[in-house]
Amino acid sequence: MSIEQLESREHLSQFAPFEDLADEWLDRLATEVEIQYFPAGSTLFETGEELTELRYIRSGAVEVKRRSGHLFNRLEEGDIFGYVDMLRGRPARYSAHTLEDSLIYFFPKALIQELCDEDDDFSEFVEAGGRRLKTRVEQYHRESSLLTTRVRRLVVRRPVMVESTTPLQTAAQQMREYSTTSLLVIDPTTDMDATTFEGQDEHYWHLVGMLTDRDCCTRVVADGIDPQTPVGEVMSTRLVTVQSDESVYEAMLTMLRNNVQHLPVLYRRRPMGIVQLSDIVRYETHSSLYLVSNIYHQASVDGLARLSSEVRQSFVRLVNDGANSEMIGRALATIGRSIIRRLLELGEEELGAPPVPYAFMVLGSMARDEPTINADQDHALVVDDAFDFDTHDRYFEQLAVFVREGMAACGYARCKGGIMASNPRWRQPLSVWKSYFNDWMDDPKPEHLLHSNIFFDLTCVYGENRLVEPLQELIAERAPHRPLFLAAMARNALGRTPPLGFFRTFVVEKDGEHKNSINIKRRGTAPLVDLVRVHALACGSKAQNTFLRLDDINKTQLLAEGVNDKLRYAFEFLSMVRIRHQAMDIETDQEPDNNVMPDKVSSRERHHLKEAFEVLNNAQRFLAFRYPMPPDAERKRKGRST
């Protein structure tokens, strides 16, 4: 291979979708590539032209334009183009031109088709075309922990093993000593068969059965069997086993199909441990149900605070096991709400029963089921209209402070903007809250828009839900008929733009603590949440969660065909980038944040990031078009500015 071919091979190996190819394919691509140089302003192909090669930018930049001449995309070093129409056998839908002096690699159609036939990952990347982000997000969703986690992950200790001649009393004593509910029964052997394994003592053993605590109860105690009876006369001989590299899902199905509660886990023939059905249930629900159960058993704030490390561990486990952002968000929201409920229960035990009915509501990401591990406090309190400030407020102030300080002890930072029930402004009767919401929609000035962005994501977590539902109904009924409010919310949603530069490069922080990074929340997930909220308000949706709001929006004609799916995939991908970054921070003993460095992620992920940000960019452009400022309001605004 020549020096030039080696350089081509090295360059290809650094960019998706070539970076994960086998060495043989990289060698072949490097030897069959055609390389051409094009000065700035050159036409690479025109709309309607037949395409017979996949093009790869070795250096330079390329613009892809629609038939109308409007810009469709800007590409840079490492990007590929022209392949979708080529593989589908249709004329080029767009034209391509060099924006600056460029070196382009050309790969023939037959070669790319052969590569797609042999490599599924490469095929998914190129054949999906504009749906590459969709493909990656669907991969996230396929990576369910039950399906991908090996059952060996559930084995926490070696199995207790006894010979079949061991007396039942001795076996029971070993079960008590090792705090186990089952043990394996083995015998020495010289015969080699499917159940023979070599022990650590270098002797060969035959796995002949299992004894469980249930056996001891139903077969020994119930029948009055002599405790000195050998285990071999009582044990279960019908052994169902599973290999250690099988999935947790397969292990669960094996248990259910064979109606067994204990499943020996083997590495080839050697027993590694025993898994119970309850282990699988506990494993799959540990991040929410078991932890939540533990929360409700705590008798003090200190007890709740001690669980904060378990919350982080559960979060990391969910991420590493392939849970998607919806699963993680729901789990963290469930945990956070449960902590609030328990704090309110403890607060009422200390302060006494509330003087009038009330509802404690969470706002923002906790209300949307979308918090991450570094979520702060956003909450408020709605009291019955029978509330009398002088008589009743002291109680609710103390209760709100108790919750605020308790959440802080549990790792939830106080809201810097004071959006907490301890702030008397956010501790009001229902009638006052209704006037707040009406004023914000009728007079959408900057402060009111800020409050709408926070308080219009709300849900009741404790107390009288009847005090929160009217607020949700008020928003859904009035917002669609307030064009000025929607237009102002749309403009407000454009304040945070995706970090894409002129050449589709990333715009990163230039200095400071987070130099060369992108705040994936501020520049990605938050503006997506904002624009989806505007559409949801416009269609009268009562949903709080962003994905559920997209479901409601999809029932209308607000968005063009396919746009809803693109928003869904972009939000899921950006959320997972943020979540995985935070999990990595925790695993490396750093405080989790939202600052992702593009040069620290793979080439493939950078491509997906750019695609997600491009979806956001296009969606923001449409937002301004879809919700124009009413003419009268625009004239008034211009009049004030002059």
Side-chain angles (χ1 to χ4, degrees):
M1 188 177 291
S2 68
I3 296 297
E4 185 180 56
Q5 290 170 337
L6 286 172
E7 289 179 349
S8 297
R9 184 190 189 283
E10 176 65 22
H11 198 273
L12 288 169
S13 69
Q14 299 175 31
F15 294 91
F18 307 100
E19 60 184 354
D20 294 325
L21 291 180
D23 289 341
E24 294 79 5
W25 265 109
L26 283 173
D27 291 343
R28 187 171 172 188
L29 289 166
T31 55
E32 297 190 32
V33 64
E34 178 185 341
I35 306 173
Q36 292 187 39
Y37 167 79
F38 296 89
S42 300
T43 297
L44 300 176
F45 55 79
E46 293 281 9
T47 302
E49 184 177 327
E50 181 182 358
L51 301 178
T52 57
E53 296 105 355
L54 177 146
R55 293 159 169 83
Y56 171 92
I57 303 176
R58 172 64 173 82
S59 62
V62 171
E63 280 190 335
V64 179
K65 294 185 177 181
R66 303 178 188 274
R67 192 185 305 271
S68 63
H70 294 141
L71 179 68
F72 172 72
N73 209 348
R74 282 196 181 95
L75 308 174
E76 59 180 353
E77 180 182 4
D79 281 328
I80 57 177
F81 62 103
Y83 52 89
V84 177
D85 293 329
M86 177 194 76
L87 291 173
R88 295 177 182 175
R90 67 187 184 194
R93 297 176 61 193
Y94 307 117
S95 61
H97 314 270
T98 56
L99 192 60
E100 57 186 49
D101 294 350
S102 303
L103 200 62
I104 308 294
Y105 288 178
F106 292 79
F107 298 102
K109 178 179 180 179
L111 178 65
I112 297 302
Q113 286 181 323
E114 183 181 348
L115 176 52
C116 287
D117 291 339
E118 290 193 17
D119 190 296
D120 289 340
D121 287 338
F122 184 92
S123 175
E124 285 185 2
F125 191 96
V126 300
E127 290 183 351
R131 301 190 305 278
R132 288 183 299 183
L133 183 61
K134 173 179 180 290
T135 302
R136 181 66 185 109
V137 168
E138 288 177 345
Q139 183 180 344
Y140 279 152
H141 283 253
R142 289 196 300 268
E143 292 174 352
S144 163
S145 59
L146 280 177
L147 294 172
T148 61
T149 302
R150 305 305 179 191
V151 71
R152 59 175 173 264
R153 288 278 301 277
L154 274 62
V155 175
V156 295
R157 61 184 171 186
R158 296 182 182 277
V160 179
M161 295 187 283
V162 299
E163 294 186 35
S164 61
T165 55
T166 303
L168 282 169
Q169 185 176 23
T170 302
Q173 289 170 345
Q174 289 209 32
M175 291 173 71
R176 181 181 63 187
E177 179 183 352
Y178 290 100
S179 299
T180 184
T181 59
S182 61
L183 48 79
L184 297 179
V185 183
I186 57 175
D187 279 335
T189 184
T190 56
D191 297 330
M192 303 299 292
D193 61 24
T195 60
T196 301
F197 66 94
E198 184 178 4
Q200 291 182 320
D201 56 4
E202 298 184 350
H203 293 137
Y204 287 97
W205 298 89
H206 184 59
L207 182 60
V208 295
M210 179 189 295
L211 183 72
T212 68
D213 55 354
R214 181 176 175 81
D215 294 330
C216 291
C217 180
T218 60
R219 298 182 186 179
V220 179
V221 177
D223 293 341
I225 295 177
D226 186 345
Q228 297 305 310
T229 302
V231 168
E233 295 183 17
V234 180
M235 67 182 183
S236 300
T237 57
R238 178 177 168 265
L239 272 182
V240 179
T241 63
V242 66
Q243 286 294 314
S244 61
D245 61 351
E246 292 285 356
S247 68
V248 174
Y249 181 73
E250 184 60 37
M252 181 178 67
L253 289 182
T254 299
M255 288 182 171
L256 296 176
R257 281 196 299 261
N258 293 279
N259 193 28
V260 295
Q261 297 290 317
H262 296 78
L263 189 66
V265 179
L266 309 181
Y267 173 63
R268 295 178 181 170
R269 299 173 181 176
R270 179 183 299 172
M272 288 184 61
I274 300 173
V275 170
Q276 300 182 57
L277 188 59
S278 59
D279 293 330
I280 295 177
V281 174
R282 185 178 299 109
Y283 173 84
E284 195 56 21
T285 59
H286 177 72
S287 294
S288 54
L289 297 182
Y290 278 81
L291 185 52
V292 166
S293 176
N294 210 359
I295 288 169
Y296 286 114
H297 282 90
Q298 300 306 309
S300 67
V301 173
D302 289 341
L304 289 171
R306 284 193 290 270
L307 296 178
S308 58
S309 62
E310 291 187 32
V311 177
R312 290 197 168 195
Q313 292 169 9
S314 299
F315 168 73
V316 171
R317 201 225 74 182
L318 276 171
V319 175
N320 289 339
D321 287 346
N324 60 45
S325 71
E326 288 185 83
M327 295 168 60
I328 295 169
R330 281 198 301 269
L332 292 179
T334 298
I335 292 168
R337 293 176 187 177
S338 298
I339 290 173
I340 293 173
R341 292 187 187 110
R342 186 56 185 149
L343 285 169
L344 286 163
E345 289 172 351
L346 292 173
E348 288 186 4
E349 289 176 11
E350 182 175 311
L351 299 172
V356 293
Y358 75 97
F360 198 94
M361 59 183 184
V362 291
L363 315 165
S365 63
M366 190 78 74
R368 297 194 306 271
D369 281 346
E370 295 165 12
T372 55
I373 198 62
N374 60 355
D376 61 1
Q377 300 184 43
D378 286 304
H379 46 74
L381 200 148
V382 187
V383 290
D384 190 272
D385 282 337
F387 171 81
D388 177 76
F389 182 86
D390 294 334
T391 307
H392 304 142
D393 189 62
R394 178 61 178 163
Y395 175 92
F396 290 112
E397 179 186 15
Q398 290 177 313
L399 184 64
V401 169
F402 184 87
V403 172
R404 182 192 69 194
E405 297 307 304
M407 290 193 72
C410 293
Y412 296 88
R414 299 177 186 84
C415 176
K416 295 179 181 178
I419 310 297
M420 295 176 289
S422 54
N423 184 335
R425 187 178 182 187
W426 311 127
R427 190 175 65 247
Q428 295 290 338
L430 176 59
S431 58
V432 175
W433 280 106
K434 287 182 177 179
S435 67
Y436 281 171
F437 283 22
N438 282 321
D439 287 346
W440 297 346
M441 286 186 279
D442 291 341
D443 182 21
K445 58 187 180 183
E447 181 187 8
H448 290 175
L449 294 173
L450 175 63
H451 293 331
S452 299
N453 276 330
I454 298 172
F455 287 89
F456 284 10
D457 299 343
L458 76 163
T459 192
C460 177
V461 294
Y462 187 85
E464 303 284 338
N465 191 47
R466 64 178 179 82
L467 297 173
V468 175
E469 286 180 346
L471 298 177
Q472 295 170 328
E473 292 170 359
L474 177 65
I475 298 167
E477 290 172 2
R478 296 204 65 191
H481 307 292
R482 295 292 179 274
L484 175 59
F485 171 69
L486 293 175
M489 286 288 284
R491 288 196 175 191
N492 197 54
L494 303 179
R496 295 182 283 196
T497 57
L500 288 177
F502 185 71
F503 293 110
R504 284 188 89 229
T505 54
F506 293 116
V507 177
V508 297
E509 298 290 335
K510 298 301 183 184
D511 48 35
E513 179 184 356
H514 303 299
K515 183 179 179 181
N516 297 325
S517 71
I518 295 171
N519 188 305
I520 205 75
K521 175 186 176 182
R522 187 168 63 243
R523 305 297 295 274
T525 56
L528 263 171
V529 167
D530 289 346
L531 73 87
V532 170
R533 183 189 297 110
V534 176
H535 291 311
L537 290 170
C539 71
S541 170
K542 294 181 183 178
Q544 306 298 310
N545 176 264
T546 298
F547 291 109
L548 295 180
R549 284 173 168 170
L550 284 168
D551 288 341
D552 286 346
I553 295 166
N554 202 39
K555 299 172 186 176
T556 71
Q557 302 298 316
L558 280 174
L559 303 177
E561 184 177 356
V563 172
N564 192 288
D565 286 341
K566 289 181 179 180
L567 290 172
R568 183 181 300 274
Y569 298 133
F571 184 64
E572 170 67 13
F573 180 77
L574 292 172
S575 297
M576 286 308 306
V577 169
R578 180 187 177 198
I579 286 168
R580 292 183 181 218
H581 169 75
Q582 292 179 348
M584 189 179 301
D585 281 343
I586 293 172
E587 289 181 313
T588 54
D589 295 323
Q590 300 179 61
E591 193 60 28
D593 61 27
N594 301 307
N595 301 290
V596 175
M597 291 189 175
D599 60 354
K600 299 296 184 182
V601 300
S602 69
S603 171
R604 185 181 296 245
E605 294 294 272
R606 285 198 299 274
H607 276 72
H608 294 316
L609 270 176
K610 290 178 183 176
E611 190 172 345
F613 287 137
E614 195 66 38
V615 169
L616 171 57
N617 186 51
N618 292 335
Q620 286 187 328
R621 290 179 182 176
F622 174 76
L623 197 69
F625 168 79
R626 179 63 180 78
Y627 304 101
M629 191 65 68
D632 291 345
E634 187 67 20
R635 282 195 296 270
K636 291 179 182 178
R637 186 185 68 82
K638 290 182 178 180
R640 286 195 299 267
S641 65
T642 56

